[in-house]
Amino acid sequence: MTNRLGVNPMRYIAGIETSCDETSFAILECSESSLADSNLPAEFRVLTHAVHSQTDLHVPFGGVVPEIAARDHLAKLPGMVQDGFRAASLRANDLSAIAVTTGPGLIGAVMVGSLFAQGMSESSGVPLLAINHVDAHLAPATLCETFHPVRDIGVWKSTRMSRFPRLTLTVSGGHCLLGYESSLGARRILGTTLDDACGEAFDKVAKLLGLGYPGGPAVERCAAAGDPNRFDFGLPLKQGNSAVRLRATNPFAFSFSGLKTAVLRTAEELRPSPEAPLPQQDINDICAAFQQSALAHLCDRLAAAEKQVSDHLKAIAAPCGLQEIVIAGGVAANRAFRAKAAAALRTTLFFAPQSLCNDNATMIAMQALIRSSDGLTTKPFSRYPFQLEPFF
Ligand code: KG4
Ligand code: ZN
């Protein structure tokens, strides 16, 4: 089995992730036998999966502070890499490839991982692979259905290969991206957010309700004890003239900033004075109503894409219809979202395993396996050069 770099075989792949507030290192081992219809190994196992979250450092600021993030990656990454090699009984020059997130992400944070990986590559002679973080979120759901961060270490797993054509949604703190892939790597962006990312909206709502950082899990917890129907925050991009105009431009665009403002107004109205804390039941009800609207928006776009893509494939007499929908990124960890999406969609749905939804290096190594390289550049970049092309 050779990969696009001509490395034969692709046996051990290291992954490095430092694009935001998780420092992470992983090593993947690939079996020598490959899947019948692809270049991918029939089995793989994760030898090292180390994730250090910086949450505690950023909590006092209510969000990620880029400089603190970069400095902490610098402090943690070398030791983590050393421990990871020791646990896997490997050395850098045993590797077939070193995969690292080169973007999108906080530039200082990305630079720490990129330069560290570049140094490892230079000193060991092992090829360096630049990985796109947004795409990498989808890799675990593409290759496997489950992964337990403790029980599955060192355990061989059969490679599940996604079936195409498929729809993909990466929904995280920095991104909200709906894509269509006719085959692996042949992807068109259907829609992205016009303002905030979905996870960012969860974080901002949590912050204005005093729930701390990161907001997603806190909002989900409060929402579970709240009444989603007490407040009606509406469905984004459904109302108003500008919304109609935007919808007409792209039916797959997302928007979360209006929702966040609606939450802010409601919280202000409920507070007897600007500094007064809200009663817990009000917080719970606001979270439940916000989460209901945000998730309904995601599901609305997914369902619209599912219908239009299916109709289109039928109209062109494609050999097969839409095969699956893959959802990943931090927000994919939300259990209410998983249930709502399963109810809203007819196509087979795959979510990234719960433990691989948030940022981690295992997904970076997995993405390297899928795509030997992303753009053949090791230059850190801040944004994916998305070209929104009309699909229909
Ligand atoms: O994928 P990720 O770790 O980082 C980025 O690439 O952005 O996603 C982090 C985001 C945060 O905004 C966090 O609040 C959100 O994912 N998140 C959630 C949940 N868990 C994490 N949002 C909603 N519900 C959750 N359970
Ligand atoms: Zn991410």
Side-chain angles (χ1 to χ4, degrees):
M1 179 181 46
T2 56
N3 65 16
R4 284 175 219 171
L5 295 177
V7 178
N8 189 7
M10 193 74 153
R11 181 84 189 276
Y12 298 110
I13 305 171
I16 292 177
E17 160 62 38
T18 63
S19 67
C20 189
D21 59 343
E22 264 91 25
T23 316
S24 183
F25 179 65
I27 303 176
L28 212 60
E29 181 177 2
C30 307
S31 69
E32 281 173 25
S33 58
S34 51
L35 285 182
D37 57 350
S38 89
N39 218 9
L40 290 164
E43 289 186 306
F44 65 88
R45 58 178 178 166
V46 177
L47 299 178
T48 293
H49 170 80
V51 183
H52 168 76
S53 170
Q54 304 175 347
T55 301
D56 291 350
L57 293 179
H58 301 295
V59 162
F61 306 94
V64 179
V65 181
E67 181 171 343
I68 294 177
R71 289 180 189 276
D72 198 57
H73 288 311
L74 201 51
K76 299 287 181 338
L77 187 60
M80 186 180 268
V81 170
Q82 217 169 30
D83 292 349
F85 277 121
R86 199 175 305 123
S89 303
L90 291 172
R91 294 147 61 102
N93 47 16
D94 294 321
L95 298 173
S96 322
I98 299 164
V100 63
T101 299
T102 50
L106 304 171
I107 187 62
V110 166
M111 290 293 282
V112 173
S114 300
L115 292 174
F116 189 92
Q118 213 158 353
M120 254 171 83
S121 166
E122 291 289 331
S123 60
S124 61
V126 173
L128 182 65
L129 304 182
I131 297 297
N132 179 307
H133 178 93
V134 185
D135 292 346
H137 267 296
L138 296 165
T142 301
L143 296 180
C144 64
E145 285 187 52
T146 58
F147 174 75
H148 191 280
V150 177
R151 286 198 301 273
D152 283 337
I153 299 301
V155 176
W156 286 104
K157 291 174 90 72
S158 300
T159 307
R160 170 194 108 79
M161 187 51 199
S162 261
R163 296 193 306 143
F164 298 85
R166 69 177 189 173
L167 281 173
T168 62
L169 178 69
T170 308
V171 59
S172 69
H175 317 283
C176 190
L177 204 93
L178 184 60
Y180 170 77
E181 291 182 13
S182 52
S183 61
L184 196 60
R187 204 249 327 250
R188 282 181 186 207
I189 307 298
L190 298 183
T192 184
T193 182
L194 302 170
D195 38 61
D196 292 346
C198 184
E200 188 180 358
F202 271 84
D203 293 336
K204 286 177 177 170
V205 164
K207 191 172 180 179
L208 71 90
L209 295 176
L211 297 177
Y213 169 84
V219 170
E220 185 180 9
R221 263 193 311 277
C222 292
D227 172 6
N229 300 317
R230 179 170 159 204
F231 305 105
D232 181 8
F233 295 135
L235 197 58
L237 299 186
K238 275 277 186 195
Q239 297 146 352
N241 287 340
S242 62
V244 170
R245 189 165 35 80
L246 289 168
R247 243 182 108 69
T249 312
N250 181 8
F252 307 122
F254 297 87
S255 167
F256 293 94
S257 70
L259 204 48
K260 178 197 63 192
T261 309
V263 169
L264 177 65
R265 297 243 163 84
T266 301
E268 280 170 356
E269 280 163 20
L270 289 171
R271 280 193 177 108
S273 69
E275 280 79 39
L278 284 173
Q280 190 59 45
Q281 194 55 51
D282 287 351
I283 293 178
N284 293 348
D285 293 346
I286 290 176
C287 286
F290 160 76
Q291 180 173 278
Q292 175 166 268
S293 290
L295 301 185
H297 184 38
L298 294 175
C299 291
D300 174 66
R301 292 305 194 244
L302 281 165
E306 177 187 53
K307 177 164 185 348
Q308 291 207 30
V309 166
S310 299
D311 289 352
H312 172 74
L313 291 170
K314 224 179 264 168
I316 62 166
C320 52
L322 188 62
Q323 297 295 296
E324 59 185 57
I325 300 176
V326 171
I327 304 179
V331 181
N334 186 296
R335 288 189 164 77
F337 178 35
R338 290 175 176 237
K340 216 175 171 77
L345 303 164
R346 289 173 310 164
T347 311
T348 313
L349 204 53
F350 289 97
F351 279 90
Q354 195 82 23
S355 61
L356 298 177
C357 282
N358 286 103
D359 292 349
N360 64 87
T362 295
M363 72 183 197
I364 303 302
M366 286 179 168
Q367 179 67 0
L369 187 59
I370 291 173
R371 285 206 66 166
S372 298
S373 171
D374 233 317
L376 297 171
T377 170
T378 52
K379 264 199 210 149
F381 63 98
S382 62
R383 290 198 202 292
Y384 198 99
F386 293 128
Q387 295 294 325
L388 281 174
E389 300 164 50
F391 182 71
F392 303 104

